[in-house]
Amino acid sequence: MPSIRVFEPALCCNTGVCGPDPSESLLAFTADLDHVVTRGADAARHNLANDPAAFSQVEPVREFLRVSGSDGLPVVVVDGAIVLTGRYPTRAELVRYAGLEPGGELPLTAVTSAGGGTCCGGSSSSCC
């Protein structure tokens, strides 16, 4: 199965889905990524603020940042090759990148941390 890695700009927490008014695009992307992982995909995301080492360990991403800077993020890498920059992939794109059969799509749902709170671990007022 292909390896999908998403390199994101600096976010307040690992998913960016926190605070009183989380981004709709991050909500959708988080649900879409969870969807393909649940279906067996090898997919992960790396936040520049929380996991900067990951950005330096992948040569195409390191070179992308050198040329474009963090303003060009997010960057999606599939099996070591950059396949998308500047926006988050759609659910259909993630399914295709993962080599999964289309279908079995789950509805978009809100995403929270394992503890049921916000991703930052406290009340929404303590986030971001």
Side-chain angles (χ1 to χ4, degrees):
M1 178 160 291
S3 169
I4 303 167
R5 298 296 177 260
V6 180
F7 295 86
E8 301 178 275
L11 302 170
C12 67
C13 59
N14 285 335
T15 63
V17 182
C18 57
D21 190 25
S23 162
E24 288 296 321
S25 66
L26 284 174
L27 283 169
F29 172 68
T30 298
D32 294 344
L33 190 67
D34 287 346
H35 172 74
V36 296
V37 168
T38 300
R39 292 186 59 200
D42 174 15
R45 61 198 297 186
H46 302 283
N47 176 339
L48 186 57
N50 297 331
D51 192 11
F55 289 73
S56 65
Q57 294 170 349
V58 178
E59 195 281 324
V61 174
R62 185 174 57 244
E63 184 64 13
F64 179 87
L65 285 175
R66 186 187 71 71
V67 173
S68 298
S70 64
D71 289 342
L73 296 174
V75 170
V76 181
V77 176
V78 177
D79 288 341
I82 293 176
V83 297
L84 184 67
T85 64
R87 69 172 175 83
Y88 288 97
T90 65
R91 182 172 290 198
E93 288 169 328
L94 287 169
V95 167
R96 188 177 74 241
Y97 298 155
L100 299 170
E101 289 294 322
E105 304 304 321
L106 300 173
L108 177 65
T109 58
V111 179
T112 60
S113 68
T118 64
C119 66
C120 298
S123 70
S124 61
S125 63
S126 69
C127 263
C128 308

